[in-house]
């Protein structure tokens, strides 16, 4: 109960920041309030979009300026007071200083683009504007029922009136049966070309054929990945945008409910920075977000004008956005948590997804000749798309960042005249201020240890992207796996990372030997520190990333469903008990000693919901007064799946004592 009271208090604190009284959003405070209360950070964004709080904006701008100033002061000191005089040493020293100065451009650009992240939105719509008809599309291929069922059930329950189309490229009979039970339309096709893009284009063609046959047209499609469960506000909060006839796309943030996923940083996940800071910064004239595939709505007229969803690349969402921009359509970002999905749970899933995004970006870069796109793009869009695609080559820059200090160290060049203590203090102060400032510029949506650990994946991704640019091999869309694995296996670090660890470690040992005078090519202690600090940082990043890959908590799972630890009173077959954990596959409960049979079917009543029929898997004693039971959904029991989904994602008010109003049960962060 202490936890729940704290959640309520922190929830009220967040509401005071982002609620109706002030109509501003202080992302750092909101996220901290919910995270401290054991609630997922994405719950802090459930309210309507709003301008940024003055305090948050002031701290962000201060952080950006401080980061730039710290690096400028450091570079000035390096150039004015630490450069060796003339000769080969002078050339090598300038090479190292140039390498250190490269981040300055990025800091300036990021400070400019993140100067303002204010958001706004139309009033919630009880009905689609201008009598438009809406269809929610859910493309799927081979996902298990525990992943797919909550998305379909929640989509069918949305308001206002709409159709829900399940586009099953796996042609599975049980999916058709589930759709019939939930009230969704089941759509399949005989040819499965172009993966998700082809699947959606088939649905668009079907809509056009039915419209030609006299059926009322569908004007707006809402798109959800099969693992992204819509929250009750998904349609009502966003449909009002389409009163503006120039808007083709409304993109919402992508939040993830499986806390403990591979990219989970304990705040809002690695993508929290993108969706809570970078995307809102694009809601300015001459810019706009790109389609991110899920949690989005598109105008059918606009899609038809550009020839449907793009199939020329494996990153169909961004590519389609570029076509819309070329035809003069506008895109907008709706900064409100509208759906929650599943983030990659393992290192392999994460790398597969990022490699697909990266190589798709390379395809777009070359296919659309983005370097020459200024003729049909605004300066802001040109900057965003060029940087957004070239960013995937950052792994190559990271490799160079490893190579330059190593080469300097081996060369024996004297790159600094400063003493080791003097250099360490100057570098340490600069680096600390940069991290401090950048975190505030990014509205605290980053956890540095996790960010550094995940950064190493940019190396294999960058190498894959560069190889594609050279080879131009045909790429196939690879679906990120969801659900269970046959065995529980730990991740394996890409070989290139192991090679880098060996090289960096060897050079650091060489540098130590040089300081001790054991090798012929050696630098002064100050010069050793000048290059060595970068190698030490590189080594830390490599080790952190490799340890994360190998960590037991990111091993493959044999479960299809994410389990959430939720402790609330329940009733099982008329006997009072307590819920221990719950998932789309079932629940674990504790009841009085003689309250349950050893086997069979029982009915569990969750707070605010009607009883759900579940099968007993096993029962065991936990004390003299209590017994614990594992309960499971019976195959094909669609009512049970629907009721579990709606309780977890469309949780009734007051179902969780002390929980902030409007926050679904799945937002509990304590997960098993």
């Amino acid at each position: 109960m202490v936890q729940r009271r704290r959640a309520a208090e922190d929830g009220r604190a967040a509401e005071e920041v982002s609620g109706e009284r002030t109509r501003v959003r202080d992302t750092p405070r909101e996220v901290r309030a919910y995270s401290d209360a054991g609630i997922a950070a994405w719950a802090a964004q459930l309210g309507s979009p709003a301008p940024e709080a003055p305090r948050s904006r002031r701290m962000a701008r201060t952080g950006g300026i401080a980061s730039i100033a710290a690096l400028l002061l450091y570079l000035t000191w390096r150039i004015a007071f630490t450069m060796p005089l003339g000769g080969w040493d002078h050339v090598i020293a300038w090479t190292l200083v140039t390498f250190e100065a490269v981040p300055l451009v990025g800091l300036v650009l990021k400070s400019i683009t993140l100067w303002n992240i204010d958001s706004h939105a139309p009033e919630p719509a009880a009905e689609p504007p201008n009598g438009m008809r809406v269809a929610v599309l859910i493309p799927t291929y081979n996902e298990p029922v525990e992943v797919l069922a909550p998305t379909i059930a929640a989509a069918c329950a949305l308001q206002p009136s709409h159709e829900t189309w399940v586009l099953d490229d796996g042609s599975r009979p049980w999916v058709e049966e589930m759709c019939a039970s939930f009230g969704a339309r089941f759509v399949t096709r005989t040819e499965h070309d172009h993966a998700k893009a082809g699947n959606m284009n088939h649905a668009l063609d079907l809509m056009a054929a039915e419209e030609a046959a006299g059926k009322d047209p569908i004007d707006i499609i809402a798109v959800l990945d099969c693992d992204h469960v819509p929250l009750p506000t998904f349609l009502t909060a966003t449909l009002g945008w389409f009163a503006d006839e120039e808007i083709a796309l409304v993109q919402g943030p992508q939040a993830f409910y499986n806390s403990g996923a591979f990219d989970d940083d304990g705040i809002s996940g690695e993508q929290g920075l993108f969706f809570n800071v970078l995307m809102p910064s694009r809601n300015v004239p001459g810019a706009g977000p790109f389609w991110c595939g899920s949690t989005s709505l598109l105008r059918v007229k606009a899609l038809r004008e550009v020839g449907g969803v793009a199939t020329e690349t494996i990153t169909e969402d961004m590519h389609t956005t570029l076509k819309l921009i070329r035809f003069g359509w506008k895109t907008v970002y709706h900064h409100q948590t509208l759906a929650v999905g599943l983030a990659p749970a393992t290192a392999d899933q994460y790398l597969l997804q990022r490699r697909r995004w990266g190589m798709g970006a390379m395809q777009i870069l070359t296919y659309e000749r983005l370097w020459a796109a200024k003729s049909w793009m605004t300066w802001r869009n040109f900057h965003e798309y060029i940087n957004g695609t070239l960013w995937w080559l950052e792994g190559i820059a990271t490799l160079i960042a490893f190579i330059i200090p190593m080469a300097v160290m081996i060369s024996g060049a004297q790159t600094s005249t400063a003493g080791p203590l003097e250099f360490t203090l100057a570098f340490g102060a600069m680096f600390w201020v940069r991290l401090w400032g950048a975190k505030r510029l990014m509205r605290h949506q980053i956890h540095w240890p996790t960010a550094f650990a995940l950064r190493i994946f940019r190396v294999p991704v960058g190498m894959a992207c560069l190889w594609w640019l050279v080879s131009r091999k045909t790429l196939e869309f690879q679906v990120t796996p969801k659900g269970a694995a046959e065995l529980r296996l730990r991740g394996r670090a890409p070989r290139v990372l192991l090679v880098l660890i060996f090289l960096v470690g060897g050079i650091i040992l060489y540098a130590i030997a040089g300081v001790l005078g054991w090798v012929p090519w050696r630098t002064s202690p100050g010069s050793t520190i000048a290059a060595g600090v970068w190698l030490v940082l590189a080594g830390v990043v490599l080790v952190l990333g490799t340890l994360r890959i190998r960590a037991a908590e990111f091993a493959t799972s044999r479960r299809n469903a994410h389990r959430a630890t939720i402790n609330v009173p329940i009733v099982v077959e008329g006997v009072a008990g307590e819920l221990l954990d719950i998932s789309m596959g079932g629940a674990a409960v504790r009841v009085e000693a003689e309250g349950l049979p050893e086997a069979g079917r029982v009915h569990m009543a969750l707070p605010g919901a009607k009883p759900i029929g579940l099968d007993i898997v096993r029962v065991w004693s936990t004390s003299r007064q209590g017994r614990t039971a594992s309960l499971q959904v019976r195959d094909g029991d669609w009512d049970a799946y629907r009721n579990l989904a709606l309780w977890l994602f469309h949780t009734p008010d007051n179902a969780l004592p002390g929980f902030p109003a409007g926050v679904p049960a799945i937002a509990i962060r304590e997960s098993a």
Side-chain angles (χ1 to χ4, degrees):
M1 290 303 296
V2 173
Q3 177 76 11
R4 292 170 189 152
R5 284 197 299 271
R6 187 173 165 201
E9 291 168 0
D10 286 335
R12 285 193 294 271
E15 288 167 6
E16 290 176 3
V17 174
S18 60
E20 292 297 319
R21 281 184 286 175
T22 56
R23 289 187 177 274
V24 295
R25 172 167 282 173
D26 190 330
T27 298
R29 286 185 60 190
E30 295 168 5
V31 167
R32 186 165 57 251
Y34 279 89
S35 296
D36 289 348
I39 301 173
W42 52 260
Q45 313 293 342
L46 287 168
S48 299
E52 185 179 15
R55 170 192 168 277
S56 178
R57 181 185 299 113
R58 183 170 59 252
M59 290 304 298
R61 294 175 178 178
T62 300
I65 293 171
S67 295
I68 295 169
L71 185 53
L72 279 174
L73 287 172
Y74 170 79
L75 293 172
T76 301
W77 172 76
R78 285 281 282 125
I79 294 169
F81 300 106
T82 73
M83 300 294 279
L85 299 175
W88 181 246
D89 287 347
H90 193 69
V91 174
I92 298 297
W94 268 107
T95 302
L96 184 59
V97 169
T98 302
F99 156 74
E100 293 179 310
V102 167
L104 183 61
V105 176
L107 278 174
V108 171
L109 288 175
K110 188 163 290 185
S111 296
I112 293 172
T113 57
L114 301 185
W115 199 252
N116 175 26
I117 63 166
D118 283 350
S119 293
H120 68 281
E123 291 296 318
E127 296 294 335
N130 305 322
M132 294 179 173
R133 293 182 68 240
V134 179
V136 177
L137 304 189
I138 305 171
T140 178
Y141 174 56
N142 63 355
E143 297 76 16
V145 62
E146 293 87 353
V147 171
L148 185 57
T151 304
I152 301 174
C156 291
L158 293 172
Q159 294 295 329
S161 178
H162 65 283
E163 296 181 23
T164 299
W165 291 31
V166 178
L167 316 180
D168 184 21
D169 250 1
S171 303
R172 295 161 289 177
W174 66 263
V175 177
E176 184 174 10
E177 182 183 324
M178 179 170 60
C179 289
S181 175
F182 289 177
R185 179 173 178 177
F186 178 79
V187 178
T188 189
R189 56 182 180 147
T190 55
E191 296 185 8
H192 304 288
D193 56 340
H194 300 304
K196 178 181 175 180
N199 198 4
M200 290 186 60
N201 282 334
H202 172 260
L204 291 171
D205 291 342
L206 184 58
M207 291 176 190
E210 292 179 351
E211 182 180 342
K215 187 175 179 179
D216 290 339
I218 290 175
D219 305 287
I220 304 296
I221 59 168
V223 183
L224 292 163
D225 282 350
C226 62
D227 63 331
H228 275 68
V229 185
L231 301 179
T233 55
F234 179 50
L235 294 179
T236 54
T238 53
L239 285 172
W241 285 106
F242 290 98
D244 183 343
E245 295 290 338
E246 295 182 350
I247 289 177
L249 164 71
V250 178
Q251 177 63 55
Q254 292 182 8
F256 303 94
Y257 65 87
N258 57 328
S259 57
F262 186 73
D263 69 348
D264 187 1
D265 59 7
I267 304 172
S268 53
E270 187 188 33
Q271 293 197 68
L273 172 62
F274 178 75
F275 285 109
N276 291 329
V277 182
L278 300 180
M279 287 290 265
S281 75
R282 298 182 182 185
N283 259 350
V284 294
F290 61 82
W291 182 24
C292 298
S294 184
T295 320
S296 53
L297 297 91
L298 296 106
R299 192 184 298 269
V300 173
K301 175 183 176 183
L303 280 177
R304 288 176 179 167
E305 187 173 323
V306 300
V309 179
T311 58
E312 298 89 347
T313 65
I314 60 172
T315 315
E316 75 288 332
D317 39 20
M318 180 188 282
H319 198 177
T320 301
T321 311
L322 285 170
K323 292 186 176 186
L324 292 169
I325 292 172
R326 190 191 290 268
F327 275 77
W329 290 97
K330 294 195 303 186
T331 68
V332 294
Y333 184 66
H334 188 95
H335 189 200
Q336 179 180 0
T337 303
L338 304 167
V340 288
L342 291 171
T346 68
D348 287 344
Q349 293 173 359
Y350 177 89
L351 184 58
L352 174 67
Q353 184 187 72
R354 272 28 177 205
R355 187 184 286 123
R356 183 181 75 235
W357 292 352
M359 290 195 289
M362 296 303 100
Q363 285 183 304
I364 291 172
L365 177 69
T366 56
Y367 187 90
E368 292 290 346
R369 297 174 57 85
L370 285 182
W371 57 86
K374 183 61 192 70
S375 60
W376 52 274
M377 298 177 82
T378 63
W379 274 110
R380 179 63 184 268
N381 266 336
F382 179 72
H383 157 72
E384 295 286 3
Y385 282 93
I386 282 289
N387 280 279
T389 51
L390 292 179
W391 180 85
W392 292 99
L393 292 171
E394 190 178 29
I396 304 302
T398 301
L399 275 179
I400 296 172
F402 289 162
I403 292 170
I404 289 177
M406 287 193 288
V408 169
M409 193 75 72
I410 293 174
S411 72
Q414 306 299 313
T415 57
S416 173
T417 60
L421 180 60
E422 180 186 1
F423 193 97
T424 300
L425 290 174
F427 180 89
M430 177 274 296
F431 198 71
W432 184 87
V433 172
R434 277 182 57 188
L435 293 183
W436 179 90
K439 187 165 187 173
R440 279 144 187 82
L441 178 64
M442 294 183 280
R443 278 68 175 183
H444 292 259
Q445 293 284 292
I446 193 167
H447 180 243
W448 288 120
T450 306
F452 288 146
L454 294 175
R455 184 183 177 89
I456 66 168
F457 280 92
R458 299 179 196 175
V459 174
V461 170
M463 293 175 67
C465 291
L466 182 62
W467 174 245
W468 184 85
L469 287 174
V470 173
S471 65
R472 303 295 176 92
K473 288 188 176 181
T474 301
L475 299 177
E476 294 184 1
F477 188 97
Q478 292 181 290
V479 177
T480 305
K482 301 291 192 304
E486 292 184 3
L487 299 173
R488 184 166 173 78
L489 301 173
R490 298 194 185 199
R492 297 178 59 185
R495 188 174 301 173
V496 63
L497 302 184
L498 299 178
V499 171
L500 284 173
I501 289 175
F502 175 79
L503 289 175
V504 169
I507 297 298
I508 290 175
L509 291 176
Y510 180 91
I512 294 172
V515 171
L516 297 174
W518 295 350
V519 292
W521 287 352
R522 58 183 182 271
T523 65
S524 66
S527 294
T528 300
I529 293 293
V533 289
W534 293 108
L535 287 181
V536 170
L537 287 173
V540 169
V541 169
L542 287 166
V543 170
L544 284 174
T546 303
L547 290 176
R548 191 175 184 87
I549 293 170
R550 295 291 299 160
E553 59 264 38
F554 304 124
T556 55
S557 173
R558 300 181 67 179
R559 296 188 180 94
N560 278 327
H562 171 73
R563 291 193 301 172
T565 303
I566 302 175
N567 304 129
V568 293
I570 58 167
V571 176
V572 182
E573 291 298 318
V575 179
E578 181 184 22
L579 181 67
L580 301 179
D581 65 57
I582 187 170
S583 73
M584 282 303 300
V589 300
R590 183 184 295 121
V591 298
E592 294 179 4
E594 302 302 324
L596 282 179
E598 293 293 331
R601 189 169 178 80
V602 295
H603 290 82
M604 177 182 69
L606 293 163
K610 61 183 181 181
I612 300 171
L614 298 168
D615 291 336
I616 296 176
V617 178
R618 67 188 183 102
V619 180
W620 64 97
S621 296
T622 51
S623 68
R624 289 183 180 180
Q625 293 78 29
R627 304 180 82 194
T628 300
S630 176
L631 310 178
Q632 179 177 285
V633 179
R634 182 176 295 177
D635 287 345
D637 188 346
W638 307 123
D639 281 341
Y641 280 118
R642 180 196 294 111
N643 292 332
L644 278 173
L646 295 182
W647 191 84
L648 283 168
F649 295 93
H650 292 193
T651 308
D653 289 339
N654 303 316
L656 301 178
F659 216 58
V663 177
I666 198 66
I668 289 284
R669 276 198 64 88
E670 293 85 0
S671 58

